[in-house]
């Protein structure tokens, strides 16, 4: 399909997350999407910069409402009307943003939330839909709720046994009926990677689309991948409850490239290429052959995301944080991935462990801890892209990530008790998946404080990363013997 001179794969969308210390310019991201044929995008919030950049771009938008806003929207129709006016009507009329959906919350029924959003999601959905109708947008903009695939299950272990989760069954039926009555789609996030991550005995080939797995036989249907089996479990749940024809959107699906032994570029390419091949073939699943709209997760890495689910959370992007290509993908019709254009970087210099610094220095562990508290060290974890570095390279990686995160600010490489120096020689290894980054020049040097003098910025690391790095350093240098 050709739109405005751009070649698009029908039904291909992406998620654009904004939790990054050095985000790309919104205009660069929008051009990146257009250059690579993404004609749909899902945002997790109505970020003004992103929304304005999407104006008159030809890209359809699903704009999200964060979970922490649901309570206010559920309790006040007026609040819902104000949100729609500010974040939908305003951008449609004044900026020409092609908003098609409002995503009310994000996976609000996850069991880890302990029912925090269970009672408020449906009322918030109702109020947003009512506000869209009042604004005269009810026909063109639909409200939906992106849900995790854990809202349905199968007691038999087969797709044909699918039904909604017992504790939220009636609520799910009410929500699906509401969506159906308003001509809105049901949005589901499916993650084959998490099946593999959660179960060491999960058959690896069953996570992918290339047909190498032993099939799961369900009556007359044989399933050779978990995506089809998972999706058809949902279809069975919908059919059992009288909604066999409701449209479905896959709100998130993808594969991370770092932060876990099964998160690497090779497996990510295998998964995403298989997914793209199905999209290009317009092939659905055995129980629903019609291909749904699919939003790939994710477009770009986000180095400030929470790592509570796992270190891989910061590495879902098809592109690195700066819009460079991680691995090749055939987009179909002779097109391959295209990197972001016009990206500006900080100076070509790195902060590394000084050659004469002693690995037995008692300040080393503390210095690494400080660096990884304020910068992203998830690539140093076990089985990750930089997990095999020696002790000196480990420390250099941590020091440099801090230095780059601080925008190479004067004094930021001197935080480590005389253990570090600045070098203009790339400390990375040729042909290695481990990257010693240079950050994007966001032009905001003056606005970023040095968190070494404050506790306000301690949102980056997590104790797992720190202790993985420190223990590795101690083992390599022989300090635990």
């Amino acid at each position: 399909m050709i739109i405005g001179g751009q070649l698009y794969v029908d039904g291909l969308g992406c998620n654009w997350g904004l939790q990054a210390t050095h985000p790309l310019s919104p205009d660069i991201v929008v051009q990146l999407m257009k250059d690579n044929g993404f004609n749909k995008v899902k945002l997790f919030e109505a970020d003004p910069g992103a929304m304005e950049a999407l104006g008159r771009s030809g890209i359809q938008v699903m704009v999200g409402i964060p979970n922490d806003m649901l309570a206010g929207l559920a309790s006040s129709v007026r609040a819902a009307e104000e949100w729609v006016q500010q974040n939908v009507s305003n951008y449609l009329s004044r900026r020409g943003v092609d908003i098609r959906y409002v995503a009310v919350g994000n996976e609000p029924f996850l069991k880890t939330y302990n029912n925090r959003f269970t009672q408020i999601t449906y009322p918030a959905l109702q109020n947003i839909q009512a506000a869209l109708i009042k604004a005269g947008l009810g026909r063109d903009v639909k409200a939906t709720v992106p849900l995790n695939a854990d809202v349905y299950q199968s007691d038999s272990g087969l797709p044909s046994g699918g039904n909604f989760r017992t504790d939220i069954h009636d609520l799910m039926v009410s929500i699906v009926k509401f969506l159906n009555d308003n001509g809105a789609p049901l949005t589901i996030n499916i993650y084959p990677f998490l099946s593999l991550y959660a179960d060491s005995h999960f058959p690896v080939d069953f996570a992918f689309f290339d047909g190498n797995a032993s099939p799961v036989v369900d009556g007359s249907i044989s399933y050779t991948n978990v995506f089809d089996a998972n999706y058809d479990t949902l279809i069975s749940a919908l059919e059992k409850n009288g909604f066999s024809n409701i449209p479905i959107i896959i709100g998130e699906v993808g594969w991370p490239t770092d932060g876990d032994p099964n998160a690497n570029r090779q497996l990510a390419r295998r998964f995403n290429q298989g997914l793209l091949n199905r999209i290009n073939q317009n092939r659905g699943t055995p129980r629903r052959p019609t291909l749904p709209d699919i939003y790939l997760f994710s477009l770009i890495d986000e180095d400030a995301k929470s790592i509570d689910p796992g270190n891989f959370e910061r590495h879902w992007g098809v592109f690195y944080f700066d819009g460079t290509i991680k691995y090749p993908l055939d987009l179909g019709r002779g097109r391959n991935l295209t990197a972001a254009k016009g990206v500006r970087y900080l100076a070509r210099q790195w902060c590394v462990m000084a050659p004469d610094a002693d690995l037995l220095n008692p300040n080393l562990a503390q210095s690494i801890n400080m660096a990884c508290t304020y910068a992203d060290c998830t690539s140093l974890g076990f089985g990750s892209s930089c997990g095999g570095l020696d002790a000196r390279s480990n420390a250099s990686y941590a020091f440099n990530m801090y230095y780059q995160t601080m925008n190479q600010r004067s004094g930021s490489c001197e935080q480590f008790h005389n253990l570090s120096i600045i070098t203009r020689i790339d400390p990375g290894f040729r042909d290695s998946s481990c990257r010693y980054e240079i950050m994007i020049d966001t032009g905001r040097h003056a606005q970023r404080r040095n968190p070494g003098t404050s506790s306000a910025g301690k949102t980056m690391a997590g104790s797992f990363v720190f202790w993985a790095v420190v223990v590795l350093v101690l083992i390599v240098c022989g300090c635990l013997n």
Side-chain angles (χ1 to χ4, degrees), residues 10 16 21 42 45 62 71 100 117 141 147 162 192 201 203 207 257-258 261 277 304 316 345 374 431 472 477:
D10 289 348
W16 177 8
T21 62
K42 178 166 156 282
E45 58 186 307
M62 179 187 295
R100 300 296 181 93
F117 306 110
V141 182
L147 299 168
H201 300 293
T257 56
D258 211 348
N277 291 345
W316 287 98
Y345 295 89
Y374 297 107
D431 300 325
L472 181 57
C477 76

Side-chain angles (χ1 to χ4, degrees), residues 263-329:
N264 56 61
R265 292 181 297 177
Q266 292 75 28
L267 293 182
R269 180 186 183 187
R270 180 183 176 187
F271 180 84
N272 284 327
Q273 188 62 67
L275 180 65
L276 286 171
N277 291 345
R278 290 172 62 99
I279 293 172
N280 285 320
Q281 296 161 9
N282 198 32
R283 182 157 57 96
T285 64
R287 295 187 75 99
R288 187 174 282 198
T290 302
L291 183 75
D293 279 351
I294 293 175
Y295 290 75
L296 196 65
F297 192 87
S298 181
L299 185 68
I300 302 170
D301 283 349
E302 300 171 79
D303 69 343
K305 283 192 71 177
S306 167
I307 57 171
D308 287 344
N311 288 344
F312 54 83
E313 277 296 318
R314 294 177 178 171
H315 304 279
W316 287 98
V318 173
F319 297 92
Y320 289 109
F321 73 100
D322 58 353
T324 53
I325 298 169
K326 292 183 176 181
Y327 48 84
L329 281 177

Side-chain angles (χ1 to χ4, degrees), residues 131-205:
L132 290 170
I133 292 171
K134 183 175 181 179
L137 302 172
R139 293 183 58 185
D140 299 321
V141 182
K142 302 297 183 181
T144 183
V145 181
L147 299 168
N148 188 275
D150 74 347
V151 299
Y152 50 90
Q153 60 192 17
S154 173
D155 292 336
S156 68
L158 297 173
S160 60
N163 207 339
F164 295 122
R165 208 170 76 204
T166 305
D167 60 310
I168 56 171
H169 178 274
D170 292 348
L171 175 59
M172 280 300 303
V173 170
S174 296
I175 288 176
V176 174
K177 183 179 186 304
F178 182 82
L179 295 173
N180 195 55
D181 289 347
N182 285 279
L186 175 64
T187 303
I188 293 290
N189 302 337
I190 298 178
Y191 282 109
F193 167 79
L194 295 181
S195 299
L196 193 58
Y197 178 75
D199 182 2
S200 60
H201 300 293
F202 187 87
V204 174
D205 287 339

